[in-house]
Amino acid sequence: MDIDARGPRFGAAVTTVVLAVVLVTSSAWLLAWQTLAFALGAAGGVVRSPYGWLFRKAVRPRLGPPTGFEAPEPPRFAQAVGLVFVGLGLVGYTLGPEWLGLAATGAALAAAFLNAVFGYCLGCEMYLLVRRMTVRAE
């Protein structure tokens, strides 16, 4: 079942704000929250993430009907990619080195920003690239 394309973009906007605050404050607790949000999105799809829930309950009812839909697999893969980066960031912020926390969180922030502002999902593009490569290999 396809999903409302505005949902993942909303989640990316919230993620952008959260990760920007993490970089400014060096808050490992806030980064742990974002790690949990990505883990839930990777495990159950973006509709099961906290930001997906917020979009469904608070944002989507105030918008018109969806005009675009997308397959759920690419955004779910993107959540897993985000999970890897914020997981590395969390390791850097809690165990060190701090530069790892900054770099990994910054990379995740850049990807979330691209999706939120321009609608360009790096993780989704990675998913499509991997799919093309595995289909050719078979």
Side-chain angles (χ1 to χ4, degrees), residues 27-82:
S27 172
W29 289 107
L30 189 55
L31 191 56
W33 161 256
Q34 185 59 52
T35 304
L36 175 63
F38 274 143
L40 293 170
V46 293
V47 296
R48 301 247 190 304
S49 74
Y51 307 148
W53 178 86
L54 183 62
F55 176 76
R56 271 192 331 279
K57 298 296 181 185
V59 177
R60 187 172 178 186
R62 290 168 173 74
L63 301 175
T67 57
F69 293 92
E70 65 181 306
E73 294 84 8
R76 185 174 184 176
F77 182 83
Q79 295 283 298
V81 173

Side-chain angles (χ1 to χ4, degrees), residues 59-127:
V59 177
R60 187 172 178 186
R62 290 168 173 74
L63 301 175
T67 57
F69 293 92
E70 65 181 306
E73 294 84 8
R76 185 174 184 176
F77 182 83
Q79 295 283 298
V81 173
L83 175 61
V84 169
F85 278 91
V86 298
L88 285 171
L90 190 57
V91 168
Y93 277 116
T94 57
L95 303 175
E98 186 177 358
W99 65 262
L100 177 62
L102 292 167
T105 303
L109 171 61
F113 178 82
L114 283 174
N115 194 357
V117 175
F118 300 109
Y120 186 79
C121 176
L122 284 174
C124 300
E125 295 299 323
M126 287 175 57
Y127 173 84

Side-chain angles (χ1 to χ4, degrees), residues 17-31 93 98 102 105:
V17 171
V18 169
L19 293 177
V21 171
V22 168
L23 285 176
V24 169
T25 64
S26 298
S27 172
W29 289 107
L30 189 55
L31 191 56
Y93 277 116
E98 186 177 358
L102 292 167
T105 303

Side-chain angles (χ1 to χ4, degrees), residues 120-138:
Y120 186 79
C121 176
L122 284 174
C124 300
E125 295 299 323
M126 287 175 57
Y127 173 84
L128 296 173
L129 181 63
V130 168
R131 289 284 303 190
R132 281 188 218 118
M133 290 172 49
T134 57
V135 168
R136 288 185 187 156
E138 292 175 358

